[in-house]
Amino acid sequence: MEKIVIKNANIVTMAGFSHGPQKGKEFGELGVIEGGTLIMSNGKIDKVGKDGEFEIPEDAKVYDVEGRLVTPGLVDPHTHLAHYGSRENEYTWRIEGMPYIDILKNGGGILETVRQNRLATEEQIFEQSMENLKRMISFGVTTVESKSGYGLDWETELKQLKTNKKLQEETDIDIVSTFLGAHAIPTDFKNNPEEFVEKVIEMLPQAKEYATYCDVFCEEGVFTPEQSERILLEAKKHGFKVKLHADEIVPTGGAQLAAKLGADSADHLLCVDEEGMEMMAKEGVVAVLLPGTSFNLMTDKYAPAQSMIEKEVPIALASDFNPGSCPTENPQLIMTLACLNYKLTPAQTLAAYTINAAHSVGMADKIGSIEEGKQGDVVVFDCPNVDYIPYRFGISHTYSVFKKGKLIWEK
Ligand SMILES: N=CN[C@@H](CCC(=O)O)C(=O)O
Ligand SMILES: [Zn+2]
């Protein structure tokens, strides 16, 4: 395999946090090497240091990046990537004031995408997802968590889970596959949600063949904390790791439940309370925050990121890419929204999208930082420093993307 050298770079390493995510005062520690060089071979990072500190192998392909910013590959830890169709019809309804959750209660929203995916072939789901994955890569994303949840029956959930598998096989991208059979109550189970909970539990053994994580949309009018707990406890028995859509629209105690279950992350958290944050901090549950969703749903509520930092809850950021609440794949835009609405610094948003995101999907031993022995997942941004990414918003700054030590995208 070709040896790759990137030199004359402003390298953000995020080094020193493979054992645990950045939190509290250490959140945003970039570990910058100015005028740096890194060497990758056999898919891994061999060396990282100052220019001239070590010899450049003669047989290496050398990229002089002329002072550009080099960071760990971005990790998007909450997406609904594997789906077919779109819901632009709801956009106007929402602008006119119809609440997102009311659209769902009337059979639209997630249920509309369920309808579209039940009708779609596996091929259609795969092709659309691949196109969207390529767009993610173009923004610097090298690892993606991808949920099912637009089937709510085994046949369609399987089409999505198979799509995750195929995306992983046909690209170099790591796809962290999540089973979200409990994403909504299907219309035919509207009057008997408990029966649907049983159906989801029945799907778990087959789903485990395709997915690492199990997730539930714990929300008023969707799955209660009791139902969520029941599903996730069963999931754990089958060997799943767990995550939770928690405290998004109303407070339900989702954060507490995530902590109690030892979840790797609790996601959304717009309405999380003090106790929920304290329990998450104690159990080391990563808060995956989704500012694009607050923005796109025009809520005036954003997750209390500053209280989380104060309480030492580790924070990751994600796109929540999906056809309804947040149809964007762009992590650079999400970083801008996180700076402006959570008052995170640009450095914190980058830590949240790399090392902390890697922890939230249980992969920090392999990815999330530029350190010797880690996977060669690296992005070159056409930027002089980290601040420039969220500051100059609405465009893409990606210059080139390396995955497992190979160039996979360039401007
Ligand atoms: N909140 C629940 N689920 C998704 C939205 C999915 C959709 O609107 O299609 C989310 O994470 O935002
Ligand atoms: Zn989601």
Side-chain angles (χ1 to χ4, degrees), residues 274-290:
E274 300 281 310
E275 184 195 59
M277 286 186 273
E278 275 153 20
M279 285 179 68
M280 284 178 65
K282 187 156 172 269
E283 298 304 324
V285 182
V286 180
V288 175
L289 304 187
L290 313 164

Side-chain angles (χ1 to χ4, degrees), residues 182-341:
H183 193 194
I185 312 276
T187 320
D188 41 338
F189 287 88
K190 209 171 163 180
N191 299 320
N192 199 353
E194 289 302 330
E195 201 182 319
F196 184 64
V197 168
E198 292 311 314
K199 283 262 172 258
V200 173
I201 290 171
E202 277 169 29
M203 292 183 219
L204 289 170
Q206 290 151 287
K208 186 64 197 76
E209 288 173 33
Y210 295 88
T212 308
Y213 281 94
C214 183
D215 190 349
V216 175
F217 186 12
C218 178
E219 185 62 53
E220 195 178 87
V222 194
F223 294 92
T224 64
E226 293 71 28
Q227 291 165 339
S228 307
E229 181 169 3
R230 176 154 158 58
I231 294 166
L232 293 175
L233 280 174
E234 287 298 322
K236 284 177 77 166
K237 283 189 204 156
H238 290 283
F240 281 97
K241 299 205 244 179
V242 299
K243 298 186 160 285
L244 201 63
H245 282 65
D247 298 319
E248 179 183 357
I249 297 162
V250 295
T252 61
Q256 285 87 331
L257 179 59
K260 185 173 155 194
L261 293 171
D264 281 358
S265 73
D267 305 27
H268 285 289
L269 299 169
L270 279 66
C271 305
V272 67
D273 60 18
E274 300 281 310
E275 184 195 59
M277 286 186 273
E278 275 153 20
M279 285 179 68
M280 284 178 65
K282 187 156 172 269
E283 298 304 324
V285 182
V286 180
V288 175
L289 304 187
L290 313 164
T293 308
S294 292
F295 171 71
N296 188 56
L297 293 184
M298 298 172 289
T299 55
D300 44 18
K301 238 189 157 99
Y302 279 80
Q306 293 303 324
S307 304
M308 291 178 183
I309 296 171
E310 217 171 277
K311 293 186 165 54
E312 303 209 322
V313 178
I315 294 175
L317 286 170
S319 67
D320 193 19
F321 173 61
N322 72 70
S325 67
C326 199
T328 181
E329 300 91 340
N330 185 348
Q332 300 170 36
L333 175 63
I334 300 298
M335 286 165 73
T336 300
L337 294 173
C339 289
L340 300 180
N341 296 290

Side-chain angles (χ1 to χ4, degrees), residues 97-163:
M98 196 185 288
Y100 172 77
I101 204 76
D102 289 1
I103 297 175
L104 175 63
K105 280 180 192 153
N106 291 323
I110 296 169
L111 292 174
E112 170 56 22
T113 300
V114 167
R115 197 186 61 79
Q116 293 177 17
N117 281 266
R118 285 181 176 179
L119 291 174
T121 62
E122 196 181 309
E123 200 53 26
Q124 283 174 312
I125 297 175
F126 174 74
E127 271 166 24
Q128 182 173 321
S129 306
M130 179 60 110
E131 199 183 317
N132 295 332
L133 176 61
K134 285 185 181 159
R135 201 170 296 113
M136 288 179 170
I137 296 168
S138 78
F139 286 117
V141 175
T142 53
T143 299
V144 182
E145 186 264 4
S146 172
K147 302 174 197 295
S148 68
Y150 289 129
L152 313 180
D153 60 23
W154 177 242
E155 198 190 326
T156 318
E157 290 291 311
L158 183 61
K159 288 189 274 187
Q160 288 191 273
L161 292 172
K162 280 188 172 171
T163 293

